PDB file of all heavy atoms in Angstrom:
ATOM      1  N   PHE A  17     -30.968  77.435  59.901  1.00 97.00           N
ATOM      2  CA  PHE A  17     -30.210  76.360  59.242  1.00 97.00           C
ATOM      3  C   PHE A  17     -29.356  77.084  58.205  1.00 97.00           C
ATOM      4  O   PHE A  17     -29.910  77.722  57.289  1.00 97.00           O
ATOM      5  CB  PHE A  17     -31.141  75.365  58.551  1.00 97.00           C
ATOM      6  CG  PHE A  17     -32.036  74.564  59.465  1.00 97.00           C
ATOM      7  CD1 PHE A  17     -33.067  73.791  58.932  1.00 97.00           C
ATOM      8  CD2 PHE A  17     -31.866  74.557  60.834  1.00 97.00           C
ATOM      9  CE1 PHE A  17     -33.903  73.045  59.746  1.00 97.00           C
ATOM     10  CE2 PHE A  17     -32.703  73.813  61.670  1.00 97.00           C
ATOM     11  CZ  PHE A  17     -33.724  73.056  61.116  1.00 97.00           C
ATOM     12  N   SER A  20     -30.353  76.768  54.471  1.00 97.00           N
ATOM     13  CA  SER A  20     -31.771  76.822  54.102  1.00 97.00           C
ATOM     14  C   SER A  20     -32.120  78.177  53.482  1.00 97.00           C
ATOM     15  O   SER A  20     -31.730  79.225  53.999  1.00 97.00           O
ATOM     16  CB  SER A  20     -32.625  76.617  55.356  1.00 97.00           C
ATOM     17  OG  SER A  20     -33.909  77.163  55.160  1.00 97.00           O
ATOM     18  N   TYR A  22     -34.902  79.679  53.539  1.00 98.00           N
ATOM     19  CA  TYR A  22     -35.738  80.445  54.461  1.00 98.00           C
ATOM     20  C   TYR A  22     -34.869  81.217  55.461  1.00 98.00           C
ATOM     21  O   TYR A  22     -35.167  82.348  55.825  1.00 98.00           O
ATOM     22  CB  TYR A  22     -36.668  79.518  55.237  1.00 98.00           C
ATOM     23  CG  TYR A  22     -37.620  78.730  54.392  1.00 98.00           C
ATOM     24  CD1 TYR A  22     -37.485  77.344  54.258  1.00 98.00           C
ATOM     25  CD2 TYR A  22     -38.680  79.340  53.737  1.00 98.00           C
ATOM     26  CE1 TYR A  22     -38.371  76.605  53.504  1.00 98.00           C
ATOM     27  CE2 TYR A  22     -39.576  78.606  52.974  1.00 98.00           C
ATOM     28  CZ  TYR A  22     -39.423  77.236  52.859  1.00 98.00           C
ATOM     29  OH  TYR A  22     -40.295  76.495  52.103  1.00 98.00           O
ATOM     30  N   ARG A  25     -32.583  84.003  53.548  1.00 98.00           N
ATOM     31  CA  ARG A  25     -33.285  85.247  53.180  1.00 98.00           C
ATOM     32  C   ARG A  25     -33.416  86.157  54.409  1.00 98.00           C
ATOM     33  O   ARG A  25     -33.308  87.376  54.278  1.00 98.00           O
ATOM     34  CB  ARG A  25     -34.645  84.941  52.565  1.00 98.00           C
ATOM     35  CG  ARG A  25     -35.536  84.108  53.441  1.00 98.00           C
ATOM     36  CD  ARG A  25     -36.975  83.923  52.987  1.00 98.00           C
ATOM     37  NE  ARG A  25     -37.203  83.137  51.814  1.00 98.00           N
ATOM     38  CZ  ARG A  25     -38.346  82.476  51.572  1.00 98.00           C
ATOM     39  NH1 ARG A  25     -39.334  82.508  52.458  1.00 98.00           N
ATOM     40  NH2 ARG A  25     -38.516  81.788  50.476  1.00 98.00           N
ATOM     41  N   ARG A  53     -37.938  74.659  68.664  1.00 97.00           N
ATOM     42  CA  ARG A  53     -39.245  74.050  68.399  1.00 97.00           C
ATOM     43  C   ARG A  53     -40.267  74.453  69.453  1.00 97.00           C
ATOM     44  O   ARG A  53     -41.464  74.560  69.154  1.00 97.00           O
ATOM     45  CB  ARG A  53     -39.104  72.532  68.322  1.00 97.00           C
ATOM     46  CG  ARG A  53     -38.395  72.115  67.047  1.00 97.00           C
ATOM     47  CD  ARG A  53     -38.168  70.631  66.979  1.00 97.00           C
ATOM     48  NE  ARG A  53     -37.731  70.241  65.649  1.00 97.00           N
ATOM     49  CZ  ARG A  53     -37.193  69.068  65.367  1.00 97.00           C
ATOM     50  NH1 ARG A  53     -37.022  68.172  66.306  1.00 97.00           N
ATOM     51  NH2 ARG A  53     -36.836  68.792  64.125  1.00 97.00           N
ATOM     52  N   ARG A  59     -42.465  74.488  64.370  1.00 97.00           N
ATOM     53  CA  ARG A  59     -41.236  73.710  64.596  1.00 97.00           C
ATOM     54  C   ARG A  59     -40.243  73.817  63.439  1.00 97.00           C
ATOM     55  O   ARG A  59     -39.511  72.876  63.135  1.00 97.00           O
ATOM     56  CB  ARG A  59     -41.584  72.242  64.879  1.00 97.00           C
ATOM     57  CG  ARG A  59     -42.440  72.078  66.119  1.00 97.00           C
ATOM     58  CD  ARG A  59     -43.097  70.710  66.204  1.00 97.00           C
ATOM     59  NE  ARG A  59     -42.149  69.618  66.370  1.00 97.00           N
ATOM     60  CZ  ARG A  59     -41.604  69.246  67.514  1.00 97.00           C
ATOM     61  NH1 ARG A  59     -41.932  69.888  68.634  1.00 97.00           N
ATOM     62  NH2 ARG A  59     -40.763  68.243  67.576  1.00 97.00           N
ATOM     63  N   THR A  60     -40.270  74.946  62.737  1.00 98.00           N
ATOM     64  CA  THR A  60     -39.360  75.151  61.606  1.00 98.00           C
ATOM     65  C   THR A  60     -38.374  76.287  61.910  1.00 98.00           C
ATOM     66  O   THR A  60     -38.633  77.141  62.747  1.00 98.00           O
ATOM     67  CB  THR A  60     -40.148  75.513  60.333  1.00 98.00           C
ATOM     68  OG1 THR A  60     -41.014  76.617  60.616  1.00 98.00           O
ATOM     69  CG2 THR A  60     -40.960  74.339  59.821  1.00 98.00           C
ATOM     70  N   ALA A  61     -37.272  76.264  61.160  1.00 98.00           N
ATOM     71  CA  ALA A  61     -36.314  77.375  61.162  1.00 98.00           C
ATOM     72  C   ALA A  61     -36.606  78.231  59.927  1.00 98.00           C
ATOM     73  O   ALA A  61     -37.002  77.683  58.894  1.00 98.00           O
ATOM     74  CB  ALA A  61     -34.896  76.830  61.091  1.00 98.00           C
ATOM     75  N   PRO A  62     -36.434  79.535  60.013  1.00 98.00           N
ATOM     76  CA  PRO A  62     -35.838  80.323  61.089  1.00 98.00           C
ATOM     77  C   PRO A  62     -36.848  80.745  62.161  1.00 98.00           C
ATOM     78  O   PRO A  62     -38.043  80.805  61.918  1.00 98.00           O
ATOM     79  CB  PRO A  62     -35.357  81.566  60.341  1.00 98.00           C
ATOM     80  CG  PRO A  62     -36.381  81.756  59.256  1.00 98.00           C
ATOM     81  CD  PRO A  62     -36.752  80.369  58.828  1.00 98.00           C
ATOM     82  N   ASP A  74     -41.161  81.791  61.075  1.00 98.00           N
ATOM     83  CA  ASP A  74     -41.548  81.941  59.668  1.00 98.00           C
ATOM     84  C   ASP A  74     -40.850  83.148  59.030  1.00 98.00           C
ATOM     85  O   ASP A  74     -41.004  84.286  59.476  1.00 98.00           O
ATOM     86  CB  ASP A  74     -43.074  82.083  59.497  1.00 98.00           C
ATOM     87  CG  ASP A  74     -43.458  81.967  58.035  1.00 98.00           C
ATOM     88  OD1 ASP A  74     -43.244  82.938  57.289  1.00 98.00           O
ATOM     89  OD2 ASP A  74     -43.936  80.895  57.641  1.00 98.00           O
ATOM     90  N   SER A  75     -40.151  82.871  57.953  1.00 98.00           N
ATOM     91  CA  SER A  75     -39.375  83.935  57.300  1.00 98.00           C
ATOM     92  C   SER A  75     -40.263  85.085  56.814  1.00 98.00           C
ATOM     93  O   SER A  75     -39.853  86.242  56.853  1.00 98.00           O
ATOM     94  CB  SER A  75     -38.569  83.363  56.134  1.00 98.00           C
ATOM     95  OG  SER A  75     -39.420  82.779  55.171  1.00 98.00           O
ATOM     96  N   ASN A  76     -41.484  84.759  56.376  1.00 98.00           N
ATOM     97  CA  ASN A  76     -42.373  85.843  55.929  1.00 98.00           C
ATOM     98  C   ASN A  76     -42.796  86.719  57.101  1.00 98.00           C
ATOM     99  O   ASN A  76     -42.799  87.946  57.001  1.00 98.00           O
ATOM    100  CB  ASN A  76     -43.605  85.267  55.236  1.00 98.00           C
ATOM    101  CG  ASN A  76     -43.287  84.796  53.835  1.00 98.00           C
ATOM    102  OD1 ASN A  76     -43.226  85.576  52.909  1.00 98.00           O
ATOM    103  ND2 ASN A  76     -43.030  83.499  53.695  1.00 98.00           N
ATOM    104  N   ARG A 122     -41.235  65.810  54.562  1.00 97.00           N
ATOM    105  CA  ARG A 122     -42.298  65.574  55.548  1.00 97.00           C
ATOM    106  C   ARG A 122     -43.198  64.404  55.164  1.00 97.00           C
ATOM    107  O   ARG A 122     -43.662  63.674  56.024  1.00 97.00           O
ATOM    108  CB  ARG A 122     -43.117  66.850  55.727  1.00 97.00           C
ATOM    109  CG  ARG A 122     -42.228  67.956  56.312  1.00 97.00           C
ATOM    110  CD  ARG A 122     -42.866  69.310  56.359  1.00 97.00           C
ATOM    111  NE  ARG A 122     -41.898  70.260  56.871  1.00 97.00           N
ATOM    112  CZ  ARG A 122     -41.595  71.426  56.294  1.00 97.00           C
ATOM    113  NH1 ARG A 122     -42.210  71.811  55.196  1.00 97.00           N
ATOM    114  NH2 ARG A 122     -40.696  72.217  56.827  1.00 97.00           N
TER     115      ARG A 122
HETATM  116  N1  GSH B 301     -42.788  78.875  55.994  1.00 63.05           N
HETATM  117  C1  GSH B 301     -41.576  78.683  56.741  1.00 63.05           C
HETATM  118  C2  GSH B 301     -40.894  77.416  56.244  1.00 63.05           C
HETATM  119  C3  GSH B 301     -39.633  77.119  57.022  1.00 63.05           C
HETATM  120  C4  GSH B 301     -39.123  75.693  56.789  1.00 63.05           C
HETATM  121  O1  GSH B 301     -39.790  74.865  56.160  1.00 63.05           O
HETATM  122  N2  GSH B 301     -37.929  75.462  57.309  1.00 63.05           N
HETATM  123  C5  GSH B 301     -37.319  74.157  57.173  1.00 63.05           C
HETATM  124  C6  GSH B 301     -35.852  74.325  56.849  1.00 63.05           C
HETATM  125  S1  GSH B 301     -35.580  74.337  55.103  1.00 63.05           S
HETATM  126  C7  GSH B 301     -37.393  73.397  58.487  1.00 63.05           C
HETATM  127  O2  GSH B 301     -37.294  73.990  59.534  1.00 63.05           O
HETATM  128  N3  GSH B 301     -37.540  72.082  58.418  1.00 63.05           N
HETATM  129  C8  GSH B 301     -37.488  71.243  59.572  1.00 63.05           C
HETATM  130  C9  GSH B 301     -38.772  70.535  59.828  1.00 63.05           C
HETATM  131  O3  GSH B 301     -39.774  70.749  59.134  1.00 63.05           O
HETATM  132  O4  GSH B 301     -38.771  69.729  60.785  1.00 63.05           O
HETATM  133  C10 GSH B 301     -40.690  79.911  56.613  1.00 63.05           C
HETATM  134  O5  GSH B 301     -40.892  80.694  55.670  1.00 63.05           O
HETATM  135  O6  GSH B 301     -39.838  80.156  57.484  1.00 63.05           O
END
Side-chain angles (χ1 to χ4, degrees):
F17 294 170
S20 157
Y22 299 111
R25 56 172 69 154
R53 288 177 169 165
R59 299 165 66 82
T60 53
D74 191 284
S75 60
N76 283 279
R122 296 172 183 130

